[in-house]
Coordinates of all heavy atoms in Angstrom, one line a residue:
N38 N -0.2 -152.5 -0.1 CA 0.4 -153.7 -0.7 C 1.1 -153.5 -2.0 O 2.1 -154.1 -2.3 CB -0.7 -154.8 -0.8 CG -1.2 -155.2 0.5 OD1 -0.5 -155.1 1.5 ND2 -2.3 -155.8 0.6
L39 N 0.6 -152.6 -2.8 CA 1.2 -152.3 -4.1 C 2.7 -151.7 -3.9 O 3.6 -152.1 -4.6 CB 0.4 -151.3 -4.9 CG 0.9 -151.0 -6.3 CD1 1.0 -152.2 -7.1 CD2 0.1 -149.9 -6.9
V40 N 2.8 -150.9 -2.9 CA 4.2 -150.4 -2.6 C 5.1 -151.5 -2.1 O 6.3 -151.5 -2.4 CB 4.1 -149.2 -1.5 CG1 5.4 -148.8 -1.0 CG2 3.3 -148.1 -2.1
A41 N 4.5 -152.4 -1.4 CA 5.3 -153.6 -0.8 C 5.8 -154.4 -2.0 O 6.9 -155.1 -1.8 CB 4.5 -154.4 0.1
L42 N 5.1 -154.5 -3.1 CA 5.6 -155.3 -4.2 C 6.6 -154.7 -5.1 O 7.1 -155.3 -6.1 CB 4.3 -155.8 -5.0 CG 3.4 -156.7 -4.2 CD1 2.2 -157.1 -5.1 CD2 4.2 -158.0 -3.8
I43 N 6.9 -153.4 -4.9 CA 7.8 -152.7 -5.8 C 9.2 -153.4 -5.8 O 9.8 -153.5 -6.9 CB 7.9 -151.2 -5.4 CG1 6.6 -150.5 -5.8 CG2 9.1 -150.5 -6.0 CD1 6.6 -149.0 -5.4
P44 N 9.8 -153.8 -4.7 CA 11.1 -154.5 -4.9 C 11.0 -155.8 -5.8 O 12.0 -156.0 -6.6 CB 11.5 -154.9 -3.5 CG 10.7 -154.0 -2.6 CD 9.4 -153.7 -3.3
V45 N 10.0 -156.5 -5.7 CA 9.9 -157.7 -6.6 C 9.6 -157.3 -8.0 O 10.2 -157.9 -9.0 CB 8.7 -158.6 -6.1 CG1 8.5 -159.8 -7.0 CG2 9.0 -159.1 -4.7
L46 N 8.9 -156.3 -8.3 CA 8.7 -155.8 -9.6 C 9.9 -155.2 -10.2 O 10.2 -155.4 -11.4 CB 7.5 -154.8 -9.7 CG 6.1 -155.3 -9.3 CD1 5.1 -154.2 -9.3 CD2 5.7 -156.4 -10.3
L47 N 10.7 -154.6 -9.3 CA 12.1 -154.1 -9.8 C 13.0 -155.3 -10.2 O 13.7 -155.2 -11.2 CB 12.7 -153.3 -8.6 CG 14.1 -152.7 -8.9 CD1 14.0 -151.7 -10.0 CD2 14.7 -152.2 -7.6
W48 N 12.9 -156.4 -9.4 CA 13.7 -157.5 -9.8 C 13.2 -158.1 -11.1 O 14.0 -158.5 -11.9 CB 13.6 -158.6 -8.7 CG 14.4 -159.8 -9.0 CD1 15.7 -160.0 -8.6 CD2 14.1 -160.9 -9.8 NE1 16.2 -161.2 -9.1 CE2 15.2 -161.8 -9.8 CE3 12.9 -161.3 -10.4 CZ2 15.2 -163.0 -10.5 CZ3 12.9 -162.5 -11.1 CH2 14.0 -163.3 -11.1
L49 N 11.9 -158.2 -11.3 CA 11.4 -158.7 -12.5 C 11.8 -157.9 -13.7 O 12.1 -158.4 -14.8 CB 9.9 -158.9 -12.4 CG 9.1 -159.6 -13.5 CD1 9.6 -161.0 -13.5 CD2 7.6 -159.5 -13.3
D50 N 11.8 -156.6 -13.5 CA 12.2 -155.7 -14.6 C 13.7 -155.8 -14.9 O 14.1 -155.7 -16.1 CB 11.8 -154.2 -14.2 CG 12.0 -153.3 -15.4 OD1 11.5 -153.6 -16.5 OD2 12.6 -152.2 -15.2
A51 N 14.5 -156.0 -13.9 CA 15.9 -156.1 -14.1 C 16.4 -157.4 -14.7 O 17.5 -157.6 -15.2 CB 16.7 -155.8 -12.8
N52 N 15.5 -158.5 -14.5 CA 15.8 -159.8 -15.0 C 14.8 -160.3 -16.0 O 14.1 -161.3 -15.7 CB 16.0 -160.8 -13.8 CG 17.1 -160.4 -12.9 OD1 18.2 -160.4 -13.3 ND2 16.7 -160.0 -11.7
P53 N 14.7 -159.7 -17.2 CA 13.6 -160.1 -18.1 C 13.8 -161.4 -18.7 O 12.9 -162.1 -19.1 CB 13.6 -159.0 -19.1 CG 15.0 -158.4 -19.1 CD 15.4 -158.6 -17.7
N54 N 15.0 -161.9 -18.8 CA 15.3 -163.2 -19.4 C 15.6 -164.3 -18.4 O 16.1 -165.3 -18.7 CB 16.6 -163.1 -20.3 CG 16.3 -162.1 -21.4 OD1 15.3 -162.0 -22.0 ND2 17.4 -161.4 -21.8
A55 N 15.1 -164.1 -17.1 CA 15.3 -165.1 -16.1 C 14.4 -166.3 -16.5 O 13.3 -166.1 -17.0 CB 14.9 -164.6 -14.7
G56 N 14.9 -167.5 -16.3 CA 14.1 -168.7 -16.6 C 12.9 -168.9 -15.6 O 12.8 -168.2 -14.6
A57 N 12.1 -169.8 -16.0 CA 10.9 -170.0 -15.2 C 11.2 -170.6 -13.8 O 10.6 -170.2 -12.8 CB 9.9 -171.0 -15.9
R58 N 12.3 -171.4 -13.8 CA 12.7 -171.9 -12.5 C 13.2 -170.8 -11.5 O 12.9 -170.8 -10.3 CB 13.8 -173.0 -12.7 CG 14.2 -173.7 -11.4 CD 15.2 -174.8 -11.7 NE 14.4 -175.9 -12.1 CZ 14.9 -177.0 -12.6 NH1 16.2 -177.1 -12.9 NH2 14.1 -178.0 -12.9
R59 N 14.0 -169.9 -12.0 CA 14.5 -168.8 -11.2 C 13.3 -167.9 -10.8 O 13.3 -167.5 -9.6 CB 15.5 -168.0 -12.0 CG 16.2 -167.0 -11.1 CD 17.5 -166.5 -11.7 NE 18.1 -165.5 -10.8 CZ 18.7 -164.5 -11.2 NH1 18.9 -164.2 -12.5 NH2 19.3 -163.6 -10.3
R60 N 12.4 -167.6 -11.7 CA 11.2 -166.8 -11.3 C 10.4 -167.5 -10.2 O 9.9 -166.9 -9.3 CB 10.4 -166.4 -12.5 CG 11.0 -165.4 -13.4 CD 10.0 -164.9 -14.4 NE 9.3 -166.0 -15.1 CZ 9.6 -166.5 -16.3 NH1 10.6 -166.1 -16.9 NH2 8.8 -167.5 -16.8
Y61 N 10.3 -168.8 -10.4 CA 9.5 -169.6 -9.4 C 10.2 -169.5 -8.0 O 9.6 -169.4 -7.0 CB 9.4 -171.0 -9.9 CG 8.4 -171.8 -9.1 CD1 7.1 -171.8 -9.4 CD2 8.8 -172.6 -8.0 CE1 6.2 -172.6 -8.6 CE2 8.0 -173.4 -7.3 CZ 6.6 -173.4 -7.6 OH 5.7 -174.1 -6.9
R62 N 11.5 -169.6 -8.0 CA 12.3 -169.6 -6.8 C 12.1 -168.2 -6.1 O 12.0 -168.1 -4.9 CB 13.8 -169.9 -7.1 CG 14.6 -169.9 -5.8 CD 16.0 -170.4 -6.1 NE 16.6 -169.8 -7.3 CZ 17.1 -170.5 -8.3 NH1 17.3 -171.8 -8.2 NH2 17.6 -169.9 -9.4
V63 N 12.2 -167.1 -6.9 CA 12.0 -165.8 -6.4 C 10.6 -165.6 -5.8 O 10.4 -165.1 -4.7 CB 12.3 -164.7 -7.4 CG1 11.8 -163.4 -7.0 CG2 13.8 -164.7 -7.8
G64 N 9.6 -166.2 -6.5 CA 8.2 -166.1 -6.0 C 8.1 -166.9 -4.7 O 7.3 -166.5 -3.8
F65 N 8.8 -168.0 -4.6 CA 8.7 -168.8 -3.4 C 9.3 -168.1 -2.2 O 8.8 -168.2 -1.1 CB 9.4 -170.2 -3.6 CG 9.1 -171.2 -2.5 CD1 7.9 -171.9 -2.5 CD2 10.0 -171.4 -1.5 CE1 7.6 -172.8 -1.5 CE2 9.8 -172.3 -0.5 CZ 8.6 -173.0 -0.5
V66 N 10.4 -167.4 -2.4 CA 11.1 -166.6 -1.4 C 10.1 -165.5 -0.9 O 9.9 -165.3 0.3 CB 12.4 -166.1 -1.8 CG1 12.9 -165.1 -0.8 CG2 13.4 -167.2 -2.0
L67 N 9.5 -164.9 -1.9 CA 8.5 -163.8 -1.6 C 7.4 -164.4 -0.7 O 7.0 -163.8 0.3 CB 8.0 -163.2 -2.8 CG 6.8 -162.2 -2.7 CD1 7.2 -161.0 -1.9 CD2 6.2 -161.8 -4.0
G68 N 6.8 -165.5 -1.2 CA 5.7 -166.1 -0.5 C 6.1 -166.6 0.9 O 5.3 -166.4 1.9
T69 N 7.3 -167.1 1.1 CA 7.7 -167.5 2.4 C 7.8 -166.4 3.4 O 7.3 -166.5 4.5 CB 9.1 -168.2 2.3 OG1 8.9 -169.4 1.4 CG2 9.6 -168.7 3.6
F70 N 8.4 -165.3 2.9 CA 8.6 -164.1 3.8 C 7.2 -163.5 4.1 O 7.0 -163.0 5.2 CB 9.5 -163.1 3.2 CG 11.0 -163.4 3.6 CD1 11.7 -164.2 2.8 CD2 11.5 -162.9 4.7 CE1 13.0 -164.5 3.1 CE2 12.8 -163.1 5.1 CZ 13.6 -164.0 4.3
V71 N 6.3 -163.5 3.2 CA 5.0 -162.9 3.4 C 4.2 -163.7 4.4 O 3.7 -163.2 5.4 CB 4.2 -162.8 2.1 CG1 2.7 -162.5 2.4 CG2 4.8 -161.7 1.2
Y72 N 4.2 -165.0 4.3 CA 3.4 -165.9 5.1 C 4.1 -166.2 6.5 O 3.5 -166.6 7.4 CB 3.0 -167.1 4.4 CG 1.9 -166.8 3.4 CD1 2.2 -166.8 2.0 CD2 0.7 -166.4 3.8 CE1 1.2 -166.5 1.1 CE2 -0.3 -166.1 2.9 CZ 0.0 -166.1 1.6 OH -1.0 -165.8 0.7
L73 N 5.4 -166.0 6.6 CA 6.1 -166.0 7.9 C 5.5 -165.0 8.8 O 5.3 -165.3 10.0 CB 7.6 -165.8 7.8 CG 8.5 -167.0 7.5 CD1 9.9 -166.5 7.2 CD2 8.5 -167.9 8.6
G74 N 5.1 -163.9 8.3 CA 4.5 -162.9 9.2 C 3.0 -163.0 9.2 O 2.4 -162.8 10.3
A75 N 2.4 -163.3 8.1 CA 0.9 -163.3 8.1 C 0.3 -164.5 8.9 O -0.8 -164.4 9.4 CB 0.5 -163.4 6.6
L76 N 1.1 -165.6 9.0 CA 0.6 -166.7 9.8 C 1.2 -166.7 11.2 O 1.3 -167.8 11.8 CB 0.9 -168.0 9.1 CG 0.2 -168.2 7.7 CD1 0.7 -169.4 7.0 CD2 -1.3 -168.2 7.9
H77 N 1.5 -165.6 11.7 CA 2.1 -165.6 13.1 C 1.2 -166.0 14.2 O 1.6 -166.4 15.2 CB 2.6 -164.1 13.4 CG 1.5 -163.2 13.7 ND1 0.7 -162.7 12.7 CD2 1.1 -162.7 14.9 CE1 -0.2 -161.9 13.3 NE2 0.0 -161.9 14.6
W78 N -0.1 -166.0 13.9 CA -1.1 -166.5 14.9 C -0.9 -168.0 15.2 O -1.3 -168.4 16.3 CB -2.5 -166.2 14.4 CG -2.8 -166.9 13.1 CD1 -2.6 -166.3 11.9 CD2 -3.3 -168.2 12.9 NE1 -3.0 -167.2 10.9 CE2 -3.4 -168.4 11.5 CE3 -3.6 -169.2 13.7 CZ2 -3.9 -169.5 10.9 CZ3 -4.1 -170.4 13.1 CH2 -4.2 -170.5 11.7
E79 N -0.3 -168.7 14.3 CA 0.0 -170.1 14.6 C 0.9 -170.3 15.8 O 0.8 -171.4 16.5 CB 0.7 -170.8 13.4 CG -0.2 -171.3 12.3 CD -1.1 -172.4 12.7 OE1 -0.6 -173.3 13.5 OE2 -2.2 -172.5 12.3
Y80 N 1.7 -169.3 16.1 CA 2.6 -169.4 17.2 C 1.8 -169.6 18.5 O 2.3 -170.3 19.4 CB 3.5 -168.2 17.3 CG 4.5 -168.2 18.4 CD1 5.6 -169.0 18.4 CD2 4.3 -167.4 19.5 CE1 6.5 -169.1 19.4 CE2 5.2 -167.4 20.6 CZ 6.3 -168.2 20.5 OH 7.2 -168.3 21.5
A81 N 0.7 -169.0 18.6 CA -0.1 -169.1 19.8 C -0.7 -170.5 20.0 O -1.0 -170.9 21.1 CB -1.3 -168.1 19.8
M82 N -0.8 -171.2 18.9 CA -1.3 -172.6 19.0 C -0.4 -173.5 19.6 O -0.7 -174.6 20.0 CB -1.7 -173.1 17.6 CG -2.8 -172.2 16.9 SD -4.3 -172.1 17.8 CE -4.9 -173.7 17.6
L83 N 0.9 -173.1 19.8 CA 1.9 -174.0 20.4 C 1.5 -174.3 21.9 O 2.0 -175.3 22.5 CB 3.3 -173.4 20.3 CG 4.0 -173.5 19.0 CD1 5.3 -172.8 19.0 CD2 4.2 -175.0 18.7
R84 N 0.7 -173.5 22.5 CA 0.2 -173.7 23.8 C -0.6 -175.0 23.9 O -0.6 -175.7 24.9 CB -0.7 -172.6 24.3 CG 0.0 -171.6 25.2 CD -0.9 -170.5 25.7 NE -2.2 -170.9 26.1 CZ -3.2 -170.1 26.3 NH1 -3.0 -168.8 26.0 NH2 -4.3 -170.5 26.7
F85 N -1.2 -175.4 22.9 CA -2.1 -176.5 22.9 C -1.4 -177.8 22.3 O -1.7 -178.9 22.8 CB -3.4 -176.2 22.1 CG -4.1 -175.0 22.6 CD1 -4.1 -173.9 21.9 CD2 -4.8 -175.1 23.8 CE1 -4.8 -172.8 22.3 CE2 -5.5 -174.0 24.3 CZ -5.5 -172.8 23.5
S86 N -0.6 -177.7 21.3 CA 0.1 -178.8 20.8 C 1.3 -178.5 20.0 O 1.4 -177.4 19.4 CB -0.9 -179.5 19.8 OG -0.3 -180.6 19.1

Side-chain angles (χ1 to χ4, degrees):
N38 292 340
L39 182 61
V40 172
L42 292 177
I43 287 176
V45 175
L46 295 175
L47 179 67
W48 182 91
L49 189 64
D50 190 48
N52 298 295
N54 296 325
R58 182 174 278 169
R59 188 166 182 216
R60 286 191 314 262
Y61 191 86
R62 184 175 41 232
V63 166
F65 191 81
V66 169
L67 171 66
T69 300
F70 274 88
V71 166
Y72 287 109
L73 271 172
L76 296 174
H77 74 284
W78 56 269
E79 277 290 325
Y80 181 73
M82 300 301 290
L83 282 173
R84 255 179 50 194
F85 302 107
S86 174

